[in-house]
PDB file of all heavy atoms in Angstrom:
ATOM      1  N   GLN A  20     -13.729  -9.370   0.213  1.00  0.00           N
ATOM      2  CA  GLN A  20     -14.836  -8.423   0.047  1.00  0.00           C
ATOM      3  C   GLN A  20     -14.754  -7.711  -1.296  1.00  0.00           C
ATOM      4  O   GLN A  20     -15.767  -7.527  -1.968  1.00  0.00           O
ATOM      5  CB  GLN A  20     -14.842  -7.399   1.181  1.00  0.00           C
ATOM      6  CG  GLN A  20     -15.971  -6.388   1.040  1.00  0.00           C
ATOM      7  CD  GLN A  20     -16.101  -5.505   2.250  1.00  0.00           C
ATOM      8  OE1 GLN A  20     -16.129  -5.976   3.374  1.00  0.00           O
ATOM      9  NE2 GLN A  20     -16.185  -4.192   2.016  1.00  0.00           N
ATOM     10  N   PHE A  21     -13.553  -7.322  -1.700  1.00  0.00           N
ATOM     11  CA  PHE A  21     -13.386  -6.644  -2.988  1.00  0.00           C
ATOM     12  C   PHE A  21     -13.919  -7.504  -4.131  1.00  0.00           C
ATOM     13  O   PHE A  21     -14.695  -7.046  -4.967  1.00  0.00           O
ATOM     14  CB  PHE A  21     -11.914  -6.299  -3.240  1.00  0.00           C
ATOM     15  CG  PHE A  21     -11.642  -5.822  -4.637  1.00  0.00           C
ATOM     16  CD1 PHE A  21     -12.008  -4.547  -5.031  1.00  0.00           C
ATOM     17  CD2 PHE A  21     -11.038  -6.654  -5.567  1.00  0.00           C
ATOM     18  CE1 PHE A  21     -11.778  -4.105  -6.335  1.00  0.00           C
ATOM     19  CE2 PHE A  21     -10.808  -6.231  -6.867  1.00  0.00           C
ATOM     20  CZ  PHE A  21     -11.181  -4.945  -7.250  1.00  0.00           C
ATOM     21  N   PHE A  22     -13.505  -8.761  -4.174  1.00  0.00           N
ATOM     22  CA  PHE A  22     -13.941  -9.649  -5.254  1.00  0.00           C
ATOM     23  C   PHE A  22     -15.416 -10.030  -5.137  1.00  0.00           C
ATOM     24  O   PHE A  22     -16.101 -10.167  -6.140  1.00  0.00           O
ATOM     25  CB  PHE A  22     -13.087 -10.920  -5.306  1.00  0.00           C
ATOM     26  CG  PHE A  22     -11.675 -10.698  -5.768  1.00  0.00           C
ATOM     27  CD1 PHE A  22     -10.606 -11.066  -4.974  1.00  0.00           C
ATOM     28  CD2 PHE A  22     -11.412 -10.119  -7.003  1.00  0.00           C
ATOM     29  CE1 PHE A  22      -9.298 -10.877  -5.402  1.00  0.00           C
ATOM     30  CE2 PHE A  22     -10.107  -9.926  -7.442  1.00  0.00           C
ATOM     31  CZ  PHE A  22      -9.049 -10.304  -6.634  1.00  0.00           C
ATOM     32  N   TRP A  23     -15.911 -10.208  -3.917  1.00  0.00           N
ATOM     33  CA  TRP A  23     -17.292 -10.641  -3.709  1.00  0.00           C
ATOM     34  C   TRP A  23     -18.291  -9.565  -4.125  1.00  0.00           C
ATOM     35  O   TRP A  23     -19.313  -9.847  -4.719  1.00  0.00           O
ATOM     36  CB  TRP A  23     -17.497 -11.011  -2.238  1.00  0.00           C
ATOM     37  CG  TRP A  23     -18.825 -11.632  -1.988  1.00  0.00           C
ATOM     38  CD1 TRP A  23     -19.964 -11.005  -1.550  1.00  0.00           C
ATOM     39  CD2 TRP A  23     -19.177 -13.000  -2.177  1.00  0.00           C
ATOM     40  NE1 TRP A  23     -20.993 -11.907  -1.440  1.00  0.00           N
ATOM     41  CE2 TRP A  23     -20.540 -13.152  -1.825  1.00  0.00           C
ATOM     42  CE3 TRP A  23     -18.478 -14.126  -2.603  1.00  0.00           C
ATOM     43  CZ2 TRP A  23     -21.204 -14.365  -1.897  1.00  0.00           C
ATOM     44  CZ3 TRP A  23     -19.141 -15.339  -2.668  1.00  0.00           C
ATOM     45  CH2 TRP A  23     -20.490 -15.447  -2.321  1.00  0.00           C
ATOM     46  N   ASN A  24     -17.968  -8.324  -3.815  1.00  0.00           N
ATOM     47  CA  ASN A  24     -18.886  -7.221  -4.100  1.00  0.00           C
ATOM     48  C   ASN A  24     -18.800  -6.787  -5.560  1.00  0.00           C
ATOM     49  O   ASN A  24     -17.954  -7.264  -6.317  1.00  0.00           O
ATOM     50  CB  ASN A  24     -18.594  -6.046  -3.176  1.00  0.00           C
ATOM     51  CG  ASN A  24     -19.003  -6.338  -1.742  1.00  0.00           C
ATOM     52  OD1 ASN A  24     -19.810  -7.225  -1.480  1.00  0.00           O
ATOM     53  ND2 ASN A  24     -18.442  -5.592  -0.804  1.00  0.00           N
ATOM     54  N   SER A  25     -19.650  -5.867  -5.930  1.00  0.00           N
ATOM     55  CA  SER A  25     -19.674  -5.377  -7.315  1.00  0.00           C
ATOM     56  C   SER A  25     -18.350  -4.732  -7.718  1.00  0.00           C
ATOM     57  O   SER A  25     -18.055  -4.628  -8.909  1.00  0.00           O
ATOM     58  CB  SER A  25     -20.832  -4.394  -7.522  1.00  0.00           C
ATOM     59  OG  SER A  25     -20.698  -3.282  -6.664  1.00  0.00           O
ATOM     60  N   SER A  26     -17.545  -4.322  -6.753  1.00  0.00           N
ATOM     61  CA  SER A  26     -16.226  -3.757  -7.056  1.00  0.00           C
ATOM     62  C   SER A  26     -15.388  -4.735  -7.875  1.00  0.00           C
ATOM     63  O   SER A  26     -14.592  -4.328  -8.721  1.00  0.00           O
ATOM     64  CB  SER A  26     -15.491  -3.372  -5.777  1.00  0.00           C
ATOM     65  OG  SER A  26     -15.491  -4.450  -4.861  1.00  0.00           O
ATOM     66  N   GLY A  27     -15.589  -6.024  -7.656  1.00  0.00           N
ATOM     67  CA  GLY A  27     -14.847  -7.047  -8.390  1.00  0.00           C
ATOM     68  C   GLY A  27     -15.190  -7.099  -9.867  1.00  0.00           C
ATOM     69  O   GLY A  27     -14.438  -7.666 -10.659  1.00  0.00           O
ATOM     70  N   ASP A  28     -16.320  -6.478 -10.251  1.00  0.00           N
ATOM     71  CA  ASP A  28     -16.699  -6.421 -11.667  1.00  0.00           C
ATOM     72  C   ASP A  28     -15.640  -5.684 -12.481  1.00  0.00           C
ATOM     73  O   ASP A  28     -15.526  -5.893 -13.686  1.00  0.00           O
ATOM     74  CB  ASP A  28     -18.028  -5.680 -11.869  1.00  0.00           C
ATOM     75  CG  ASP A  28     -19.219  -6.339 -11.188  1.00  0.00           C
ATOM     76  OD1 ASP A  28     -19.079  -7.439 -10.618  1.00  0.00           O
ATOM     77  OD2 ASP A  28     -20.301  -5.727 -11.211  1.00  0.00           O
ATOM     78  N   ARG A  29     -14.913  -4.819 -11.807  1.00  0.00           N
ATOM     79  CA  ARG A  29     -13.954  -3.954 -12.499  1.00  0.00           C
ATOM     80  C   ARG A  29     -12.521  -4.232 -12.039  1.00  0.00           C
ATOM     81  O   ARG A  29     -11.704  -3.333 -11.945  1.00  0.00           O
ATOM     82  CB  ARG A  29     -14.322  -2.496 -12.269  1.00  0.00           C
ATOM     83  CG  ARG A  29     -15.730  -2.218 -12.776  1.00  0.00           C
ATOM     84  CD  ARG A  29     -16.118  -0.791 -12.712  1.00  0.00           C
ATOM     85  NE  ARG A  29     -16.757  -0.520 -14.005  1.00  0.00           N
ATOM     86  CZ  ARG A  29     -16.604   0.575 -14.687  1.00  0.00           C
ATOM     87  NH1 ARG A  29     -15.860   1.541 -14.234  1.00  0.00           N
ATOM     88  NH2 ARG A  29     -17.208   0.732 -15.837  1.00  0.00           N
ATOM     89  N   THR A  30     -12.240  -5.484 -11.807  1.00  0.00           N
ATOM     90  CA  THR A  30     -10.915  -5.850 -11.307  1.00  0.00           C
ATOM     91  C   THR A  30      -9.807  -5.425 -12.263  1.00  0.00           C
ATOM     92  O   THR A  30      -8.807  -4.830 -11.844  1.00  0.00           O
ATOM     93  CB  THR A  30     -10.836  -7.371 -11.037  1.00  0.00           C
ATOM     94  OG1 THR A  30     -11.821  -7.711 -10.059  1.00  0.00           O
ATOM     95  CG2 THR A  30      -9.463  -7.768 -10.542  1.00  0.00           C
ATOM     96  N   GLN A  31      -9.954  -5.719 -13.541  1.00  0.00           N
ATOM     97  CA  GLN A  31      -8.894  -5.377 -14.495  1.00  0.00           C
ATOM     98  C   GLN A  31      -8.708  -3.864 -14.594  1.00  0.00           C
ATOM     99  O   GLN A  31      -7.580  -3.378 -14.652  1.00  0.00           O
ATOM    100  CB  GLN A  31      -9.179  -5.971 -15.876  1.00  0.00           C
ATOM    101  CG  GLN A  31      -8.034  -5.771 -16.865  1.00  0.00           C
ATOM    102  CD  GLN A  31      -6.720  -6.385 -16.393  1.00  0.00           C
ATOM    103  OE1 GLN A  31      -6.664  -7.560 -16.040  1.00  0.00           O
ATOM    104  NE2 GLN A  31      -5.657  -5.598 -16.375  1.00  0.00           N
ATOM    105  N   ILE A  32      -9.785  -3.130 -14.606  1.00  0.00           N
ATOM    106  CA  ILE A  32      -9.687  -1.667 -14.672  1.00  0.00           C
ATOM    107  C   ILE A  32      -9.036  -1.136 -13.398  1.00  0.00           C
ATOM    108  O   ILE A  32      -8.239  -0.190 -13.446  1.00  0.00           O
ATOM    109  CB  ILE A  32     -11.075  -1.033 -14.895  1.00  0.00           C
ATOM    110  CG1 ILE A  32     -11.628  -1.457 -16.255  1.00  0.00           C
ATOM    111  CG2 ILE A  32     -11.021   0.486 -14.784  1.00  0.00           C
ATOM    112  CD1 ILE A  32     -13.085  -1.107 -16.472  1.00  0.00           C
ATOM    113  N   THR A  33      -9.356  -1.755 -12.270  1.00  0.00           N
ATOM    114  CA  THR A  33      -8.727  -1.361 -11.010  1.00  0.00           C
ATOM    115  C   THR A  33      -7.228  -1.608 -11.074  1.00  0.00           C
ATOM    116  O   THR A  33      -6.430  -0.747 -10.676  1.00  0.00           O
ATOM    117  CB  THR A  33      -9.361  -2.122  -9.829  1.00  0.00           C
ATOM    118  OG1 THR A  33     -10.767  -1.836  -9.798  1.00  0.00           O
ATOM    119  CG2 THR A  33      -8.728  -1.723  -8.512  1.00  0.00           C
ATOM    120  N   LEU A  34      -6.834  -2.759 -11.591  1.00  0.00           N
ATOM    121  CA  LEU A  34      -5.411  -3.068 -11.744  1.00  0.00           C
ATOM    122  C   LEU A  34      -4.744  -2.037 -12.653  1.00  0.00           C
ATOM    123  O   LEU A  34      -3.672  -1.513 -12.329  1.00  0.00           O
ATOM    124  CB  LEU A  34      -5.232  -4.477 -12.297  1.00  0.00           C
ATOM    125  CG  LEU A  34      -3.797  -4.941 -12.518  1.00  0.00           C
ATOM    126  CD1 LEU A  34      -3.030  -5.004 -11.209  1.00  0.00           C
ATOM    127  CD2 LEU A  34      -3.794  -6.308 -13.200  1.00  0.00           C
ATOM    128  N   ASP A  35      -5.372  -1.731 -13.770  1.00  0.00           N
ATOM    129  CA  ASP A  35      -4.835  -0.718 -14.685  1.00  0.00           C
ATOM    130  C   ASP A  35      -4.735   0.640 -13.996  1.00  0.00           C
ATOM    131  O   ASP A  35      -3.760   1.381 -14.192  1.00  0.00           O
ATOM    132  CB  ASP A  35      -5.715  -0.597 -15.932  1.00  0.00           C
ATOM    133  CG  ASP A  35      -5.727  -1.863 -16.781  1.00  0.00           C
ATOM    134  OD1 ASP A  35      -4.836  -2.722 -16.617  1.00  0.00           O
ATOM    135  OD2 ASP A  35      -6.648  -1.995 -17.622  1.00  0.00           O
ATOM    136  N   GLY A  36      -5.745   0.964 -13.189  1.00  0.00           N
ATOM    137  CA  GLY A  36      -5.741   2.228 -12.459  1.00  0.00           C
ATOM    138  C   GLY A  36      -4.620   2.307 -11.441  1.00  0.00           C
ATOM    139  O   GLY A  36      -3.956   3.346 -11.301  1.00  0.00           O
ATOM    140  N   LEU A  37      -4.392   1.217 -10.729  1.00  0.00           N
ATOM    141  CA  LEU A  37      -3.284   1.185  -9.768  1.00  0.00           C
ATOM    142  C   LEU A  37      -1.957   1.418 -10.475  1.00  0.00           C
ATOM    143  O   LEU A  37      -1.109   2.179  -9.999  1.00  0.00           O
ATOM    144  CB  LEU A  37      -3.270  -0.147  -9.015  1.00  0.00           C
ATOM    145  CG  LEU A  37      -4.398  -0.350  -8.005  1.00  0.00           C
ATOM    146  CD1 LEU A  37      -4.471  -1.816  -7.568  1.00  0.00           C
ATOM    147  CD2 LEU A  37      -4.208   0.562  -6.802  1.00  0.00           C
ATOM    148  N   ARG A  38      -1.773   0.771 -11.610  1.00  0.00           N
ATOM    149  CA  ARG A  38      -0.532   0.975 -12.384  1.00  0.00           C
ATOM    150  C   ARG A  38      -0.435   2.423 -12.881  1.00  0.00           C
ATOM    151  O   ARG A  38       0.632   3.027 -12.836  1.00  0.00           O
ATOM    152  CB  ARG A  38      -0.479   0.005 -13.556  1.00  0.00           C
ATOM    153  CG  ARG A  38      -0.412  -1.443 -13.148  1.00  0.00           C
ATOM    154  CD  ARG A  38       0.994  -1.984 -13.153  1.00  0.00           C
ATOM    155  NE  ARG A  38       0.958  -3.421 -12.926  1.00  0.00           N
ATOM    156  CZ  ARG A  38       1.586  -4.010 -11.916  1.00  0.00           C
ATOM    157  NH1 ARG A  38       2.278  -3.308 -11.063  1.00  0.00           N
ATOM    158  NH2 ARG A  38       1.521  -5.318 -11.771  1.00  0.00           N
ATOM    159  N   ALA A  39      -1.564   2.964 -13.343  1.00  0.00           N
ATOM    160  CA  ALA A  39      -1.562   4.330 -13.893  1.00  0.00           C
ATOM    161  C   ALA A  39      -1.154   5.368 -12.851  1.00  0.00           C
ATOM    162  O   ALA A  39      -0.440   6.315 -13.172  1.00  0.00           O
ATOM    163  CB  ALA A  39      -2.944   4.674 -14.459  1.00  0.00           C
ATOM    164  N   ILE A  40      -1.598   5.181 -11.606  1.00  0.00           N
ATOM    165  CA  ILE A  40      -1.261   6.180 -10.580  1.00  0.00           C
ATOM    166  C   ILE A  40       0.102   5.921  -9.945  1.00  0.00           C
ATOM    167  O   ILE A  40       0.569   6.704  -9.130  1.00  0.00           O
ATOM    168  CB  ILE A  40      -2.348   6.293  -9.493  1.00  0.00           C
ATOM    169  CG1 ILE A  40      -2.425   5.043  -8.626  1.00  0.00           C
ATOM    170  CG2 ILE A  40      -3.701   6.658 -10.108  1.00  0.00           C
ATOM    171  CD1 ILE A  40      -3.285   5.203  -7.375  1.00  0.00           C
ATOM    172  N   GLY A  41       0.730   4.809 -10.300  1.00  0.00           N
ATOM    173  CA  GLY A  41       2.059   4.504  -9.769  1.00  0.00           C
ATOM    174  C   GLY A  41       2.042   3.647  -8.512  1.00  0.00           C
ATOM    175  O   GLY A  41       3.044   3.589  -7.797  1.00  0.00           O
ATOM    176  N   ALA A  42       0.922   2.990  -8.230  1.00  0.00           N
ATOM    177  CA  ALA A  42       0.817   2.124  -7.053  1.00  0.00           C
ATOM    178  C   ALA A  42       1.223   0.699  -7.438  1.00  0.00           C
ATOM    179  O   ALA A  42       0.430  -0.247  -7.355  1.00  0.00           O
ATOM    180  CB  ALA A  42      -0.605   2.172  -6.503  1.00  0.00           C
ATOM    181  N   ASP A  43       2.459   0.538  -7.852  1.00  0.00           N
ATOM    182  CA  ASP A  43       2.921  -0.737  -8.383  1.00  0.00           C
ATOM    183  C   ASP A  43       2.942  -1.859  -7.351  1.00  0.00           C
ATOM    184  O   ASP A  43       2.638  -3.013  -7.681  1.00  0.00           O
ATOM    185  CB  ASP A  43       4.303  -0.578  -9.015  1.00  0.00           C
ATOM    186  CG  ASP A  43       4.252   0.294 -10.260  1.00  0.00           C
ATOM    187  OD1 ASP A  43       3.236   0.243 -10.978  1.00  0.00           O
ATOM    188  OD2 ASP A  43       5.218   1.034 -10.511  1.00  0.00           O
ATOM    189  N   LYS A  44       3.281  -1.547  -6.107  1.00  0.00           N
ATOM    190  CA  LYS A  44       3.303  -2.598  -5.081  1.00  0.00           C
ATOM    191  C   LYS A  44       1.890  -3.094  -4.794  1.00  0.00           C
ATOM    192  O   LYS A  44       1.671  -4.296  -4.642  1.00  0.00           O
ATOM    193  CB  LYS A  44       3.975  -2.072  -3.812  1.00  0.00           C
ATOM    194  CG  LYS A  44       5.457  -1.843  -4.018  1.00  0.00           C
ATOM    195  CD  LYS A  44       6.132  -1.289  -2.809  1.00  0.00           C
ATOM    196  CE  LYS A  44       7.598  -1.086  -3.164  1.00  0.00           C
ATOM    197  NZ  LYS A  44       8.364  -0.464  -2.144  1.00  0.00           N
ATOM    198  N   THR A  45       0.947  -2.175  -4.753  1.00  0.00           N
ATOM    199  CA  THR A  45      -0.443  -2.574  -4.534  1.00  0.00           C
ATOM    200  C   THR A  45      -0.978  -3.319  -5.747  1.00  0.00           C
ATOM    201  O   THR A  45      -1.717  -4.302  -5.601  1.00  0.00           O
ATOM    202  CB  THR A  45      -1.311  -1.334  -4.214  1.00  0.00           C
ATOM    203  OG1 THR A  45      -0.730  -0.648  -3.098  1.00  0.00           O
ATOM    204  CG2 THR A  45      -2.731  -1.727  -3.884  1.00  0.00           C
ATOM    205  N   ALA A  46      -0.598  -2.890  -6.930  1.00  0.00           N
ATOM    206  CA  ALA A  46      -1.008  -3.585  -8.149  1.00  0.00           C
ATOM    207  C   ALA A  46      -0.483  -5.016  -8.141  1.00  0.00           C
ATOM    208  O   ALA A  46      -1.194  -5.949  -8.536  1.00  0.00           O
ATOM    209  CB  ALA A  46      -0.513  -2.837  -9.386  1.00  0.00           C
ATOM    210  N   ASP A  47       0.740  -5.203  -7.672  1.00  0.00           N
ATOM    211  CA  ASP A  47       1.303  -6.552  -7.582  1.00  0.00           C
ATOM    212  C   ASP A  47       0.524  -7.421  -6.592  1.00  0.00           C
ATOM    213  O   ASP A  47       0.323  -8.610  -6.829  1.00  0.00           O
ATOM    214  CB  ASP A  47       2.783  -6.506  -7.180  1.00  0.00           C
ATOM    215  CG  ASP A  47       3.675  -5.942  -8.284  1.00  0.00           C
ATOM    216  OD1 ASP A  47       3.239  -5.881  -9.456  1.00  0.00           O
ATOM    217  OD2 ASP A  47       4.822  -5.557  -7.955  1.00  0.00           O
ATOM    218  N   LEU A  48       0.064  -6.816  -5.491  1.00  0.00           N
ATOM    219  CA  LEU A  48      -0.763  -7.555  -4.536  1.00  0.00           C
ATOM    220  C   LEU A  48      -2.079  -7.982  -5.181  1.00  0.00           C
ATOM    221  O   LEU A  48      -2.523  -9.124  -5.018  1.00  0.00           O
ATOM    222  CB  LEU A  48      -1.047  -6.708  -3.292  1.00  0.00           C
ATOM    223  CG  LEU A  48       0.130  -6.402  -2.376  1.00  0.00           C
ATOM    224  CD1 LEU A  48      -0.303  -5.451  -1.265  1.00  0.00           C
ATOM    225  CD2 LEU A  48       0.718  -7.675  -1.795  1.00  0.00           C
ATOM    226  N   LEU A  49      -2.702  -7.061  -5.907  1.00  0.00           N
ATOM    227  CA  LEU A  49      -3.956  -7.386  -6.585  1.00  0.00           C
ATOM    228  C   LEU A  49      -3.724  -8.494  -7.611  1.00  0.00           C
ATOM    229  O   LEU A  49      -4.511  -9.434  -7.705  1.00  0.00           O
ATOM    230  CB  LEU A  49      -4.565  -6.149  -7.245  1.00  0.00           C
ATOM    231  CG  LEU A  49      -5.843  -6.371  -8.060  1.00  0.00           C
ATOM    232  CD1 LEU A  49      -6.928  -7.082  -7.251  1.00  0.00           C
ATOM    233  CD2 LEU A  49      -6.349  -5.042  -8.617  1.00  0.00           C
ATOM    234  N   LYS A  50      -2.647  -8.386  -8.355  1.00  0.00           N
ATOM    235  CA  LYS A  50      -2.331  -9.413  -9.358  1.00  0.00           C
ATOM    236  C   LYS A  50      -2.148 -10.781  -8.683  1.00  0.00           C
ATOM    237  O   LYS A  50      -2.619 -11.797  -9.192  1.00  0.00           O
ATOM    238  CB  LYS A  50      -1.061  -9.003 -10.123  1.00  0.00           C
ATOM    239  CG  LYS A  50      -0.796  -9.812 -11.341  1.00  0.00           C
ATOM    240  CD  LYS A  50      -1.757  -9.466 -12.446  1.00  0.00           C
ATOM    241  CE  LYS A  50      -1.367 -10.207 -13.703  1.00  0.00           C
ATOM    242  NZ  LYS A  50      -2.428 -10.267 -14.666  1.00  0.00           N
ATOM    243  N   SER A  51      -1.507 -10.801  -7.528  1.00  0.00           N
ATOM    244  CA  SER A  51      -1.344 -12.058  -6.784  1.00  0.00           C
ATOM    245  C   SER A  51      -2.682 -12.597  -6.308  1.00  0.00           C
ATOM    246  O   SER A  51      -2.921 -13.810  -6.348  1.00  0.00           O
ATOM    247  CB  SER A  51      -0.418 -11.844  -5.579  1.00  0.00           C
ATOM    248  OG  SER A  51       0.887 -11.534  -6.002  1.00  0.00           O
TER     249      SER A  51
END
């Protein structure tokens, strides 16, 4: 759903945001 919807337009920014807030485990899931 994340990728299918418009939210997926900002995948890289979301990944950067996860790293910025310290959500490294979730960022790793997104990267996978």
Side-chain angles (χ1 to χ4, degrees):
Q20 180 172 311
F21 170 75
F22 290 123
W23 188 264
N24 289 340
S25 60
S26 51
D28 298 355
R29 301 186 135 219
T30 300
Q31 186 59 53
I32 296 169
T33 301
L34 180 63
D35 295 343
L37 289 167
R38 296 263 188 238
I40 68 169
D43 293 326
K44 291 178 181 175
T45 305
D47 290 343
L48 292 175
L49 177 54
K50 192 73 174 162
S51 294

